[in-house]
Amino acid sequence: MFIINCPFCGERDHSEFKAGGEAHIERPKQPTELSDDEWAEYLFMRKNIKGIQFERWNHAHGCRKWFNMVRDTSNDEIKLIYKMGEKPPLK
Amino acid sequence: MKNKYSIFSLIKNAFSYHENWQKAWKDPTPKKEYDAIIIGGGGHGLATAYYLAKKHNMKNIAVVEKGWIGGGNTGRNTTIIRSNYLWDASAGLYDHALKLWEGLSQEINYNVMFSQRGVMNLAHNLQDVRDLKRRTHANRLNGIDAYYLSTEEVKKFCPIINTSPNIRYPVLGGTLQKRAGTARHDAVAWGYARGADEMGVDIIQNCEVNGIKRNGNEVEGLETNKGFIKTKKVGVVAAGHSSVLANMAGLRLPLESKPLQALVSEPVKPIIDTVVMSNAVHAYVSQSDKGELVIGAGTDDYVSYSQKGSHQIVEGTLNAIIELYPIFSRMRMLRQWGGIVDICPDASPIISKTTIKGLYFNCGWGTGGFKATPGSGDLFAHTIANDEPHKLNAAFNLNRFTSGDLVDEHGAAAVAH
């Protein structure tokens, strides 16, 4: 269990939040042009990193806004939180 | 040659205060080369090695395990075994496993304490009732024993369940698979390890794989903390760490690794003689032979390799448990732990070849792999030995995420496994 610092509401208990999976997966610009392999890649394949991972979270039981988080999945330590649309920081 | 375990060997060893039992498996140093290496010394990996040696005569093989045998999810699950899955492909796979469970203790001369005490799944709303009835019919068409129970029959089968209509999620009915039950999880790993070891399989513990070496599109060997080991065939059975190993080979998998929690209570006298699962409120409970209630909680929704889950998940499960079983409301919980489960988008496993020659993956079992241990090992061994899937695991290939031919058990399974 951890405390999450929502960029809009401040520090709140993790139970208020919903994880939204890997961040920065871009929706295909030309969906009709995509091959089956590219669809599989977009829809299903995930990095599932052990270590520093970029992901999306939603303050579901709060302001209901989405934001990005950089988290170490090996020990659940939150490294950084930044808003949607902001550029992901380089490691 | 291993001594056979029997009542006579038990008596004989009693005279020497059980101090002279033969070692169940050796502690070998890795050879330079093997015909095949299995990564992961859990139940599935050891079963794979056992059936490779037994059925496919591949004896120059090894199992490498980063920790100790059965120390991962094999020793962390809630030991439920059942095969009442909705889809034909899943029913075939899990019932194959259940049939192997039925003869397993004799087969490997190791008491896995397989107990066919039945598994009951509860319905708490009208959609549950419709889903469970549909699944009962589907199971029967696939030759799997299944019964639909009314609320009164549920109460009769397990009298401590609160079937009052005035609770938040009343029990509206349920299904029962009588052939289902539980087994002793550690014994499964130890039994397969002992059996494989006897046939000449090297079981190498504390051996972590750091790299999968490739020559073009073929597997050449493994870089480990005990040096380089040459091999042409690698079977990865690494559960939560599957993606990490896939990454070493430059392969992408459709998995997310998440914490799944379980807990046991203080031991009490026999009170519940079956397994009861409830999908809608996510609570399932059985009682171990030691008397502890074994309770399965849910998964967290975020990726984590920390083997720790969130408190609210446990709290939610226990809320449901005490509403369904008011008799447990004052019991104390003894231990709680987490395991890392690798979840596929369709909640079905992958037992498959890959685009790399000689590299095979058995993963994606998510929250329900223990029940499939013998079947998974048998079918994965077949896939590795013949470089072709068995007909029972053909549907569980990696290519299904490209073709779209998913085995969608996610909403359809009896509970989140």
Side-chain angles (χ1 to χ4, degrees):
Chain A
M1 183 184 243
F2 35 84
I3 302 287
I4 295 174
N5 192 4
C6 170
F8 308 96
C9 312
E11 288 191 345
R12 296 296 171 93
D13 191 278
H14 156 219
S15 58
E16 290 184 16
F17 295 83
K18 184 113 184 72
E22 191 179 317
H24 308 297
I25 299 174
E26 222 170 293
R27 195 178 167 79
K29 289 201 171 63
Q30 297 283 346
T32 49
E33 310 283 307
L34 246 51
S35 69
D36 288 353
D37 278 328
E38 286 165 326
W39 270 120
E41 188 67 24
Y42 168 67
L43 285 173
F44 298 126
M45 299 302 162
R46 294 293 175 263
K47 288 182 186 153
N48 196 25
I49 291 167
K50 183 178 186 179
I52 303 293
Q53 164 150 308
F54 293 71
E55 50 194 25
R56 302 176 306 169
W57 283 75
N58 179 237
H59 194 182
H61 301 288
C63 64
R64 300 178 64 189
K65 283 187 182 136
W66 287 88
F67 57 91
N68 292 312
M69 183 190 286
V70 184
R71 193 171 54 90
D72 188 340
T73 60
S74 62
N75 57 13
D76 293 337
E77 195 181 316
I78 298 167
K79 300 286 185 191
L80 190 72
I81 284 172
Y82 56 101
K83 289 183 182 168
M84 280 288 159
E86 285 178 15
K87 276 213 160 146
L90 297 166
K91 277 185 197 173
Chain B
M1 187 62 195
K2 290 250 188 311
N3 296 332
K4 201 170 157 25
Y5 289 158
S6 68
I7 183 78
F8 304 108
S9 68
L10 190 64
I11 293 166
K12 191 179 140 212
N13 279 282
F15 287 112
S16 55
Y17 302 97
H18 297 293
E19 282 172 357
N20 296 324
W21 284 98
Q22 196 180 17
K23 272 202 169 171
W25 57 83
K26 297 180 287 288
D27 188 19
T29 44
K31 292 184 208 163
K32 285 210 162 53
E33 185 173 359
Y34 290 99
D35 294 339
I37 298 178
I38 306 300
I39 304 176
H44 289 235
L46 294 164
T48 305
Y50 176 85
Y51 292 112
L52 271 174
K54 172 105 195 237
K55 285 188 160 177
H56 305 283
N57 208 27
M58 287 179 71
K59 297 196 169 151
N60 181 32
I61 61 173
V63 177
V64 293
E65 163 59 46
K66 136 180 111 162
W68 63 95
I69 294 302
N73 291 351
T74 301
R76 290 165 188 269
N77 65 82
T78 49
T79 77
I80 297 168
I81 295 162
R82 60 184 179 85
S83 66
N84 53 355
Y85 280 70
L86 177 71
W87 300 112
D88 294 351
S90 316
L93 176 66
Y94 290 102
D95 210 50
H96 176 62
L98 184 49
K99 283 178 189 141
L100 289 173
W101 277 114
E102 285 172 334
L104 191 61
S105 292
Q106 280 72 31
E107 154 96 27
I108 59 178
N109 179 228
Y110 205 106
N111 185 6
V112 298
M113 294 162 74
F114 179 51
S115 155
Q116 291 178 297
R117 57 184 71 183
V119 169
M120 194 159 66
N121 294 103
L122 302 180
H124 296 283
N125 54 51
L126 292 175
Q127 188 57 42
D128 276 359
V129 171
R130 285 188 285 266
D131 286 346
L132 291 189
K133 281 186 175 165
R134 178 190 179 204
R135 186 164 54 71
T136 306
H137 293 309
N139 288 162
R140 288 185 165 189
L141 289 171
N142 277 319
I144 294 168
D145 63 317
Y147 301 90
Y148 187 81
L149 307 180
S150 66
T151 308
E152 293 71 36
E153 287 166 322
V154 167
K155 183 81 181 168
K156 204 174 156 202
F157 191 71
C158 185
I160 59 169
I161 293 182
N162 179 7
T163 51
S164 156
N166 299 322
I167 61 175
R168 176 67 183 86
Y169 298 102
V171 176
L172 300 183
T175 63
L176 176 63
Q177 186 182 18
K178 288 188 179 170
R179 282 164 65 231
T182 60
R184 167 109 166 95
H185 48 13
D186 297 321
V188 179
W190 298 334
Y192 273 125
R194 178 170 169 266
D197 181 88
E198 183 170 12
M199 291 183 283
V201 177
D202 278 355
I203 295 164
I204 305 158
Q205 301 183 78
N206 300 311
C207 182
E208 184 170 1
V209 174
N210 300 315
I212 297 172
K213 198 170 172 212
R214 282 164 58 180
N215 177 13
N217 203 36
E218 281 179 42
V219 169
E220 239 182 14
L222 297 176
E223 301 284 358
T224 74
N225 62 354
K226 297 194 177 190
F228 179 74
I229 313 174
K230 209 172 150 191
T231 184
K232 283 201 163 66
K233 287 188 173 191
V234 171
V236 183
V237 203
H241 280 71
S242 299
S243 297
V244 176
L245 284 149
N247 198 25
M248 290 176 193
L251 205 69
R252 298 254 286 162
L253 292 176
L255 300 174
E256 287 195 302
S257 298
K258 296 175 175 179
L260 173 67
Q261 294 178 86
L263 50 163
V264 293
S265 73
E266 57 190 338
V268 291
K269 286 185 178 174
I271 182 72
I272 180 164
D273 62 356
T274 183
V275 183
V276 186
M277 311 179 77
S278 172
N279 195 3
V281 296
H282 211 296
Y284 49 98
V285 63
S286 62
Q287 190 171 16
S288 75
D289 290 1
K290 285 187 284 182
E292 304 153 327
L293 296 181
V294 182
I295 295 168
T299 47
D300 273 294
D301 58 357
Y302 54 87
V303 169
S304 176
Y305 289 84
S306 67
Q307 294 190 323
K308 280 183 293 202
S310 323
H311 179 68
Q312 75 260 22
I313 299 281
V314 171
E315 193 180 15
T317 292
L318 289 177
N319 282 344
I321 294 274
I322 57 175
E323 187 175 65
L324 275 176
Y325 311 92
I327 193 175
F328 295 154
S329 65
R330 295 173 72 180
M331 275 186 81
R332 284 163 298 188
M333 292 300 139
L334 202 63
R335 286 176 288 131
Q336 167 273 345
W337 64 92
I340 300 306
V341 297
D342 44 330
I343 299 176
C344 261
D346 58 355
S348 288
I350 296 166
I351 313 171
S352 178
K353 293 165 71 170
T354 63
T355 49
I356 298 162
K357 193 169 181 289
L359 184 64
Y360 307 85
F361 267 85
N362 184 353
C363 59
W365 290 94
T367 57
F370 177 73
K371 67 173 81 69
T373 305
S376 158
D378 184 29
L379 300 173
F380 195 44
H382 181 101
T383 307
I384 293 173
N386 300 303
D387 198 34
E388 275 305 319
H390 188 277
K391 70 178 192 314
L392 286 175
N393 69 313
F396 298 95
N397 59 54
L398 196 48
N399 196 43
R400 73 179 189 267
F401 300 96
T402 304
S403 70
D405 193 9
L406 304 178
V407 188
D408 187 11
E409 287 285 345
H410 225 316
V415 69
H417 307 276

